[in-house]
Amino acid sequence: MTRSPEPGVTGSGLSFGDRLAGVFAERGQLCVGIDPHSWLLSDWNLPDTAAGAESFGRAVVAAAAGRVGLVKPQVAFYERFGSAGFVALERVLADARQAGLLVIGDAKRGDLGTSALAYAEAWFSPGSPLEVDALTLAAYMGVGSLDSSLSLAAAHGKGVFLLAATSNPEAEHIQRAIVADGSYAGSSVARAILDDVGERNARVGRATEMAASVRAVTGLGSIGVVLGATLDLARFGIDVHQAPTEFRTPVLAPGFGHQGGNIMDLISIYGGYADGVIVSESRSVLSAGPHRIEEAIERRVAEVGAVRG
């Protein structure tokens, strides 16, 4: 994978990494997914329509507000309804912003050049109806292909999460494949993405220190990765005990709860990355239904907090 010039470091406000660290300190590491599956809409006595998905999403946001600091709408479940679905998603996002929640848009976009920039403008531009705080991206064409997205994210204090090691079995033979040449030759694809992200966070952190003429407090970078909670990361060439310690890499961790990941294994799974892990849960919380979701969220917040001490 080819490394490209670092995206610009700007902005008068806090970076996404700084805001994420603040959320962790105040509300913990649990992130509530917003996934209006057809069966969940039925269980919630809602129609399988854009209006039903909107009602579902806004109810989840209301339940999450004041209990967690992060929500993650799954864009696909709104996109399936076409333009009406995007209107519904925009209203859910507006509620989340009003509630002061950090929003991770789970869209898994991936492209290059001006196309990648157009996606970034849709999701990162202040005032955009689709504006989120962070977005999941796919780097199948190389991390450098996303430089325009990374640059715009940095300029607006937004974050990104690049798919690195995902839980679906179909991905393993690609993500464990060995990079043939370049800076990351001999590493697995997943490890190469992780290392590239770590180096980018370090360069941004050092540039910020130089611009401010102060020593930065150890904190989180604004570029993260997706590492599934149900994986043996060592099989992907990832040594979790060699995590960056100065400019740490955030990790979006799907797979806890319904998919089988045990929160009690958080530290053994992620090692040195554990402090920066976003524990993402959807069905295990959402299946509690509209009248018990607050209780389910509070229970999971307590369980995650107990593991982290």
Side-chain angles (χ1 to χ4, degrees):
M1 296 192 177
T2 302
R3 285 183 288 181
S4 298
E6 188 54 38
V9 184
T10 75
S12 57
L14 294 174
S15 69
F16 172 75
D18 289 337
R19 290 187 290 138
L20 180 61
V23 163
F24 282 172
E26 183 177 350
R27 295 290 181 187
Q29 293 173 238
L30 183 69
C31 174
V32 175
I34 304 177
D35 299 7
H37 295 266
S38 296
W39 65 270
L40 272 173
L41 292 176
S42 177
D43 286 353
W44 282 48
N45 292 316
L46 292 169
D48 189 19
T49 63
E54 178 184 335
S55 296
F56 179 93
R58 299 179 81 171
V60 175
V61 167
R67 295 180 172 88
V68 297
L70 293 144
V71 292
K72 182 176 70 64
Q74 171 48 261
V75 173
F77 290 113
Y78 288 91
E79 190 169 327
R80 67 194 180 106
F81 296 117
S83 60
F86 274 103
V87 171
L89 176 60
E90 289 167 5
R91 291 170 178 163
V92 173
L93 295 177
D95 280 5
R97 287 192 295 271
Q98 183 66 31
L101 294 162
L102 278 190
V103 182
I104 301 172
D106 197 354
K108 300 180 179 68
R109 297 296 190 240
D111 216 311
L112 69 164
T114 54
S115 297
L117 178 59
Y119 280 130
E121 288 171 340
W123 296 97
F124 295 145
S125 296
S128 168
L130 289 173
E131 182 183 1
V132 294
D133 297 288
L135 190 70
T136 57
L137 298 176
Y140 186 78
M141 290 179 280
V143 176
S145 70
L146 300 170
D147 274 347
S148 58
S149 296
L150 299 177
S151 293
L152 195 65
H156 294 311
K158 306 296 188 179
V160 300
F161 289 91
L162 304 187
L163 304 182
T166 58
S167 297
N168 60 307
E170 301 89 348
E172 186 170 344
H173 71 283
I174 295 175
Q175 294 168 355
R176 291 178 59 204
I178 301 302
V179 176
D181 51 33
S183 300
Y184 303 112
S187 296
S188 70
V189 169
R191 178 58 188 264
I193 291 172
L194 180 63
D195 287 348
D196 194 330
V197 165
E199 291 171 13
R200 287 168 181 266
N201 281 328
R203 291 198 294 274
V204 170
R206 293 183 190 118
T208 302
E209 285 181 350
M210 292 178 63
S213 299
V214 296
R215 180 66 180 172
V217 177
T218 297
L220 289 171
S222 294
I223 309 174
V225 294
V226 177
L227 300 176
T230 58
L231 300 174
D232 176 2
L233 294 174
R235 284 174 52 82
F236 292 76
I238 296 172
D239 184 349
V240 296
H241 301 294
Q242 294 182 344
T245 57
E246 187 175 10
F247 304 105
R248 294 174 291 145
T249 300
V251 173
L252 179 60
F256 287 107
H258 180 84
Q259 295 182 51
N262 188 338
I263 193 61
M264 299 303 295
D265 297 328
L266 174 66
I267 296 175
S268 63
I269 295 170
Y270 292 106
Y273 292 94
D275 285 345
V277 166
I278 297 169
V279 178
S280 179
E281 296 201 17
S282 299
R283 282 170 284 181
S284 58
V285 173
L286 302 175
S287 61
H291 304 298
R292 299 188 64 185
I293 185 171
E294 293 94 344
E295 175 187 338
I297 292 172
E298 290 172 355
R299 182 176 64 253
R300 293 304 285 167
V301 167
E303 290 170 353
V304 174
V307 172
R308 297 303 303 131

